[in-house]
Amino acid sequence: MFSLTGWSFPPVPDRAPAAAASTDGTQAAIVNGWGPVVAGDEFSNTGPPDPAKWNVFDGVGHAGKGIRSPKAWAVAGGVATVSGDSAGTTGGISARFAQQQYGRWEARMRTSVRDPKYHPVLILWPNNNISPNCAEVDYAEGTSNATLIKFFLHHACSGPGFQTGATGTVDNTQWHNYAVQWTPAGITGYVDGVPWFTDSDPAHQPTVGMHQTVQLDWFPDGTPTAPTQMQVDWIRVYK
């Protein structure tokens, strides 16, 4: 097992906030020959996230802070947008598709120039919210610094060594492709086709099926919050 830190990924040309990216960029799926897409969402509808593909969160926010509201979501122009407001009302969605053990997931994502208290997160989460070792694969997690992205593999429910991780320098406000490969040999993370995290320790691997979630999480600190958006151009799943 090992994890990589300090990677830096070049920006791609910026796009208008309400428009989909005009290119799919460099994809781990293409670089590594993952084959055809077997599930996912191109966000080609207009309105709320497709209810046949997504459960939309409706309740309290991350760690009990703020609210996750279906009203925070809008799909238009080939992009799903989740908005976080000044009061901490934001959103999350959980995939009905590809609830499986092993596979490859890739998503194209960016944010607006964001408040440091809003963190974008792409996660593989245990099916039925049940995992004996509290498995969680955060394959793209923003921080208060919008030029950094983190990878976290949670493999225990508590203790000082409950997760492994990596940090990369990535401009969150530009379109980038974030991917994770999960096989019996371990877990690898990618940004724009470049591997930047791997953990092959058998004791660290999830033991249950997982599925995609997309979240814009709020971490209040008592100071005013500026409205922030997170956008996803597509999510694609491969065998």
Side-chain angles (χ1 to χ4, degrees), residues 17-29:
S22 61
T23 174
D24 278 350
T26 303
Q27 303 166 61

Side-chain angles (χ1 to χ4, degrees), residues 36-84:
V37 175
V38 297
D41 199 344
E42 299 294 318
F43 299 109
S44 56
N45 64 303
T46 298
D50 185 345
K53 295 181 177 180
W54 299 100
N55 292 304
V56 182
F57 297 169
D58 188 2
V60 297
H62 174 76
K65 307 294 184 181
I67 296 172
R68 287 171 171 157
S69 170
K71 294 180 180 179
W73 283 95
V75 181
V79 168
T81 301
V82 56
S83 299

Side-chain angles (χ1 to χ4, degrees), residues 3-219:
S3 59
L4 306 177
T5 60
W7 282 77
S8 181
F9 303 93
V12 296
D14 200 8
R15 308 306 198 285
S22 61
T23 174
D24 278 350
T26 303
Q27 303 166 61
I30 301 300
V31 172
N32 296 287
W34 288 349
V37 175
V38 297
D41 199 344
E42 299 294 318
F43 299 109
S44 56
N45 64 303
T46 298
D50 185 345
K53 295 181 177 180
W54 299 100
N55 292 304
V56 182
F57 297 169
D58 188 2
V60 297
H62 174 76
K65 307 294 184 181
I67 296 172
R68 287 171 171 157
S69 170
K71 294 180 180 179
W73 283 95
V75 181
V79 168
T81 301
V82 56
S83 299
D85 69 12
S86 59
T89 298
T90 181
I93 50 177
S94 175
R96 298 180 186 274
F97 56 83
Q99 299 202 0
Q100 62 195 43
Q101 189 168 19
Y102 308 128
R104 298 165 176 91
W105 289 255
E106 190 160 23
R108 188 159 179 81
M109 181 267 286
R110 73 167 180 183
T111 72
S112 62
V113 175
R114 61 183 174 83
D115 189 291
K117 295 180 286 297
Y118 273 118
H119 298 185
V121 196
L122 300 172
I123 297 176
L124 298 187
W125 186 257
N127 296 342
N128 302 313
N129 298 317
I130 298 172
S131 168
N133 65 340
C134 298
E136 179 180 336
V137 184
D138 306 318
Y139 69 94
E141 179 168 342
T143 73
S144 58
N145 183 342
T147 68
L148 298 178
I149 204 76
K150 290 182 177 288
F151 192 112
F152 291 112
L153 170 59
H154 297 246
H155 55 79
C157 297
S158 61
F162 75 98
Q163 65 181 15
T164 55
T167 301
T169 301
V170 181
D171 183 353
N172 301 181
T173 68
Q174 305 250 351
W175 289 110
H176 288 280
N177 296 336
Y178 304 93
V180 58
Q181 174 179 266
W182 176 26
T183 73
I187 289 177
T188 302
Y190 302 83
V191 176
D192 295 330
V194 178
W196 70 300
F197 170 88
T198 185
D199 189 329
S200 58
D201 187 333
H204 292 174
Q205 307 310 308
T207 59
V208 298
M210 309 281 277
H211 62 275
Q212 176 74 60
T213 74
V214 180
Q215 299 166 203
L216 181 63
D217 289 343
W218 186 53
F219 294 80

Side-chain angles (χ1 to χ4, degrees), residues 218-233:
W218 186 53
F219 294 80
D221 62 7
T223 63
T225 298
T228 294
Q229 291 185 330
M230 173 186 182
Q231 295 185 311
V232 181
D233 189 17

